Amino acid sequence: MAAVLTVSKDASTAYVSNSQEDNVSVVDLRTRKVRVTMVVCEANGIVEFDLAFCYEALARAHAVAGDTDEALRWQQRGVEAAKDVFEDEDRELLVADL
């Protein structure tokens, strides 16, 4: 059974549930909090630095799990999102981590 992400109507609360916890993949466990953070950021218009670092965290989790294709996909989203980071110092930090 796949993990289910549930977000309240006002996006103030988000959680991931799975009735068969033992069957959740390592990547799912590593990315749960990031995906919840991503949904809350997107729902509340919080973009730029925070959302870009969600992409970086997902790229890193997939790389650690050995899923190169998915890691590269999230890395590319992070690179694209870095263009929207206003502060030079923040953008440089993000790009260095990607």
Side-chain angles (χ1 to χ4, degrees):
M1 174 180 219
V4 177
L5 178 64
T6 305
V7 181
S8 65
K9 288 182 182 179
D10 66 355
S12 63
T13 307
Y15 63 91
V16 177
S17 62
N18 186 315
S19 62
Q20 298 177 0
E21 191 67 33
D22 294 337
N23 293 330
V24 177
S25 73
V26 171
V27 172
D28 289 342
L29 292 173
R30 289 182 179 152
T31 61
R32 281 183 179 199
K33 289 181 182 178
V34 175
R35 290 185 184 277
V36 168
T37 301
M38 220 166 70
V39 168
V40 172
C41 284
E42 290 170 342
N44 290 288
I46 302 169
V47 291
E48 198 187 337
F49 187 76
D50 296 307
L51 187 58
F53 259 102
C54 287
Y55 299 148
E56 184 277 335
L58 288 169
R60 187 179 303 266
H62 286 285
V64 168
D67 188 349
T68 306
D69 291 339
E70 195 67 6
L72 290 172
R73 185 173 80 83
W74 286 109
Q75 181 185 39
Q76 184 57 41
R77 285 190 71 179
V79 169
E80 289 299 315
K83 295 174 184 175
D84 295 329
V85 176
F86 183 72
E87 296 290 331
D88 290 340
E89 186 177 335
D90 291 343
R91 186 175 45 260
E92 291 167 7
L93 176 64
L94 172 64
V95 170
D97 282 353
L98 286 167

